[in-house]
Amino acid sequence: MVDQTVPAKGNVLGSLVPARYVLAVLGSIAMAIIYGLKVNLSVAMVAMLNHSALAAHSSSPAEAKEHVNAEPVCQGSNSTEAVEDGPFIWSEPVQGMILSCYFWGYLVSQVPGARVAESFSARWVMFFSVLINVVCTLLTPVAAKMHYVAMIVMRIGEGIGGGVTFPAMHVMLASWAPPNERSVMSAIVYAGTALGTVISMLMAGVLAGTLGWESVFYVMGGLSCLWMVLWLWLVQDTPSKQALISQEERDFITSSLGSGSASGHNEPKPPVPWRKVFTSGPFYGILIAHVCNNWGWYMLLIELPFYMKQVLQFNIKENAVVTAIPFLTMWFFSMALSKTLDALRTRGKITTTIARKTATFIASAVPMVCLLALCYIGCQRGLAVTLMTIGITAIGGMFCGLLSNHIDIAPNYAGTLMAITNTAATLSGIIVPIFVGQITHGNQTIGAWRVIFFVTIVLYVVEIIAYLLLASGEEQPWNKGDKPASSIEAAEAEATPLNAKEPKQNYNGQEQ
C-alpha cells in the first residue's frame, strides 16, 4: 500500500520541480551553512577582542623601535568604536591558532568520510556534518568564556563535520548530475560556500554590532536547524531511492549516467585503484591546483576581515559589508560562467577539458593580478575594495573548474578523489592563519601584508602552470578499478552505443 501512494506524491512534486535541482539547492544551502558557521568567527572575533589592551601589549619597546619606520596603516573613521572592544585578550598567534584549528579536524575526517559516503550513504554523512557544526556553534560562546583551549575544541569539532561535506556532495553529484549539467549543478552546490560567506559575514557584523558577539553563534546556529528537516524529507542518495521524483526524470538521469551510476549503491563499486590514482597526471593537475587555489581562497576568506581592520581601518560594520559583497558577486559570476561553459560543451564548441581549464585559469589569474595591484596602491580604500571584489568574484570559476574535475576523470571515486585533494589543500587552511599571524605580529602594516600577498601570487603562478599542463576532463581508464586493459576496453565499447543513442533531453528530462 505504501509503495503505491508514495510514488503518486513524488509525481506531483517531480512534475513541478526537478528532483536533481532540489538536491542541488539543498546541497548549496548545506555548503552555505558549513561555510557560514566557519567564517562567522572571522568577523565575530573582531568584536570579541579587546583591541585597546592588545595594542598596549602588542610589541616590546625594542619591537616598537624596529617598526618605527615601517609603513603606517591607513587612516579610517570610527575604527575604535566601543563595540569593537570585547572581553578577550588573545594575541595574534593565539588568534591564528583558534582560526586554523578548524582545519585540524577538517584534515582528518575527509578520506574516512568519503569512503563512508561512497560505501553507505552520502545523504546521512551530509546530515551529521551539519548537525555537528550546529551543536559546536551553539556551544561556542560558553567555550570562549571558559578558555581559548575550549574554543579550539569546538572549532576542531566543526572541522570534523565540515571536512566530509565536499567528498559527500561529490558522491551525491556523481549519482545525480547528468554529464551535460554537471558544471551547472556543481556550481549551484559549491557556490553555496560563497553565498554562506556573504550571509554569515553580513549577519555576523550586524549581530555583533547590535546584540553582542554571542548572538552571532546562537542565531546562526539556531537557524541552521531547519535545513536538517528539509534534507531528510526531500533528498535521497540516488534517483532510484527517491520517491519525490517523476519517472521521466528518473529515466533521464539513469540513461545519461548509465544504470550503475544512477542506481548508486545497488551495484558495489570496485576497490580504489590507489597505485593508478597516484600515478595519474590529471589527478596531480587537480591536486596541485586545489592546494594552491585553496591558499588564495583561505587567504581572502579568513584573513580579509583582518586586513580590512588592521590596514584599511574599517570598523566592524563597514568590515562586514565590504568583506561580504565580493562573495555575493562571486556567487552570480560562478552561476553565469558554469551555465555558459555547459552550453558551449553541449553544442560541441569546447571540450570538457577546455571548459575546466578555462574556469580554473580565470579563478587563479584574475585574483593573482588583483593581489599584485593591491601591493602597490597603498591606502586608496576605494580602489582596494574594487580590486578585492574583482579578485574574489573571479575565484568563483573554481566551482565549475577544478572542483568539478574529480567527477569527470573518475565518477566512481569522485568522493575519494575530492577527499584526497581537499585534505592536501586543507594544509593551506591550517598554515594561512598561522602564517599571517606571525607576519603581522607587532607589525600590522601595509609592508607586512605585501609579503603575504606576494607568497599568494607565487602559488597562483604554480597553479596555472600545473593545471594547464596536466589537467584533463576525460574519464580515466582506472575509473573501472584495477581491471585488465581488455576488460576496460570491452566496458567502454559497451557504453559507447548507450551514449550515442542517448536522446536529447530538455531541462525537466523530457525528450524533445
Side-chain angles (χ1 to χ4, degrees):
M1 185 68 66
V2 174
D3 292 337
Q4 295 177 350
T5 57
V6 171
K9 296 179 182 178
N11 289 336
V12 174
L13 181 61
S15 63
L16 298 175
V17 183
R20 62 190 185 280
Y21 283 97
V22 172
L23 163 71
V25 171
L26 286 177
S28 182
I29 295 173
M31 302 304 292
I33 290 172
I34 294 297
Y35 265 70
L37 298 184
K38 173 166 65 174
V39 304
N40 61 7
L41 182 61
S42 298
V43 178
M45 190 179 284
V46 177
M48 295 168 69
L49 297 174
N50 189 322
H51 297 280
S52 301
L54 286 170
H57 298 88
S58 62
S59 61
S60 65
E63 290 174 323
K65 183 178 180 180
E66 179 182 349
H67 297 299
V68 70
N69 294 320
E71 295 178 75
V73 296
C74 306
Q75 298 298 315
S77 59
N78 299 323
S79 60
T80 57
E81 60 186 67
V83 69
E84 295 192 31
D85 265 343
F88 304 107
I89 306 176
W90 295 331
S91 66
E92 284 87 353
V94 171
Q95 295 171 36
M97 182 178 296
I98 292 173
L99 291 172
S100 68
C101 67
Y102 176 95
F103 300 97
W104 303 350
Y106 195 90
L107 187 67
V108 301
S109 65
Q110 294 187 73
V111 174
R115 297 307 295 155
V116 171
E118 287 175 341
S119 303
F120 299 101
S121 173
R123 170 179 176 251
W124 281 105
V125 169
M126 282 298 301
F127 175 81
F128 282 109
S129 169
V130 174
L131 177 62
I132 292 171
N133 272 264
V134 168
V135 171
C136 290
T137 297
L138 293 173
L139 293 176
T140 292
V142 176
K145 294 173 183 177
M146 292 174 60
H147 196 275
Y148 74 81
V149 174
M151 273 285 292
I152 290 175
V153 173
M154 290 299 101
R155 293 292 289 177
I156 292 175
E158 289 185 47
I160 291 174
V164 303
T165 53
F166 276 94
M169 281 311 307
H170 255 43
V171 174
M172 297 292 288
L173 288 170
S175 295
W176 277 91
N180 287 339
E181 298 179 18
R182 192 170 287 159
S183 293
V184 171
M185 289 185 64
S186 296
I188 291 174
V189 170
Y190 296 127
T193 60
L195 189 62
T197 302
V198 173
I199 296 172
S200 179
M201 287 183 168
L202 290 175
M203 285 185 65
V206 172
L207 290 171
T210 55
L211 301 178
W213 63 268
E214 297 99 326
S215 66
V216 174
F217 305 100
Y218 291 137
V219 173
M220 297 179 67
L223 290 176
S224 301
C225 295
L226 178 61
W227 174 90
M228 293 186 285
V229 177
L230 294 176
W231 181 258
L232 291 182
W233 176 35
L234 297 175
V235 173
Q236 294 293 334
D237 280 299
T238 62
S240 65
K241 297 179 181 179
Q242 176 65 276
L244 303 176
I245 186 174
S246 67
Q247 186 60 45
E248 292 79 9
E249 184 183 6
R250 182 184 286 115
D251 292 341
F252 167 53
I253 298 173
T254 301
S255 63
S256 63
L257 294 176
S259 59
S261 297
S263 60
H265 306 303
N266 291 345
E267 297 181 10
K269 296 175 182 177
V272 179
W274 295 109
R275 182 183 59 83
K276 293 180 180 178
V277 170
F278 285 106
T279 55
S280 170
F283 168 74
Y284 278 107
I286 298 173
L287 177 65
I288 296 171
H290 202 166
V291 170
C292 296
N293 196 276
N294 255 32
W295 179 281
W297 168 251
Y298 285 122
M299 183 65 68
L300 295 169
L301 182 69
I302 299 175
E303 301 303 331
L304 187 58
F306 290 95
Y307 178 76
M308 294 291 191
K309 169 66 182 175
Q310 294 175 2
V311 176
L312 299 182
Q313 294 292 293
F314 284 93
N315 63 46
I316 188 169
K317 292 181 181 178
E318 293 175 322
N319 199 339
V321 173
V322 173
T323 306
I325 287 175
F327 291 95
L328 181 61
T329 58
M330 176 204 284
W331 188 82
F332 286 113
F333 174 73
S334 64
M335 293 294 100
L337 180 62
S338 62
K339 188 66 177 177
T340 300
L341 292 176
D342 263 358
L344 292 174
R345 289 172 58 219
T346 301
R347 296 171 186 171
K349 301 294 184 182
I350 61 174
T351 64
T352 301
T353 300
I354 293 176
R356 301 294 180 242
K357 290 184 176 181
T358 299
T360 303
F361 179 80
I362 292 172
S364 50
V366 175
M368 178 184 69
V369 172
C370 290
L371 285 177
L372 183 62
L374 199 61
C375 290
Y376 296 103
I377 64 170
C379 293
Q380 301 180 57
R381 299 171 88 202
L383 182 55
V385 171
T386 300
L387 286 171
M388 285 186 287
T389 300
I390 295 172
I392 294 174
T393 298
I395 291 178
M398 72 176 177
F399 300 132
C400 57
L402 67 96
L403 289 186
S404 300
N405 205 182
H406 309 75
I407 306 175
D408 299 322
I409 66 173
N412 282 335
Y413 310 108
T416 297
L417 295 187
M418 170 57 85
I420 296 170
T421 64
N422 208 29
T423 296
T426 298
L427 295 175
S428 298
I430 295 174
I431 297 171
V432 163
I434 297 175
F435 171 68
V436 173
Q438 292 295 331
I439 294 294
T440 60
H441 181 50
N443 185 26
Q444 300 177 357
T445 64
I446 296 175
W449 280 93
R450 189 174 292 151
V451 173
I452 293 168
F453 291 154
F454 267 118
V455 171
T456 307
I457 289 168
V458 171
L459 290 175
Y460 271 135
V461 172
V462 173
E463 175 190 356
I464 292 171
I465 295 173
Y467 197 77
L468 290 181
L469 290 178
L470 298 175
S472 172
E474 303 304 317
E475 181 180 336
Q476 300 301 296
W478 46 266
N479 179 54
K480 307 296 190 298
D482 282 315
K483 295 180 180 180
S486 57
S487 300
I488 296 175
E489 292 173 359
E492 290 175 346
E494 183 179 351
T496 300
L498 174 64
N499 296 332
K501 296 177 183 178
E502 180 180 320
K504 186 177 180 181
Q505 310 280 352
N506 67 11
Y507 181 85
N508 289 313
Q510 305 285 341
E511 291 190 16
Q512 293 182 335

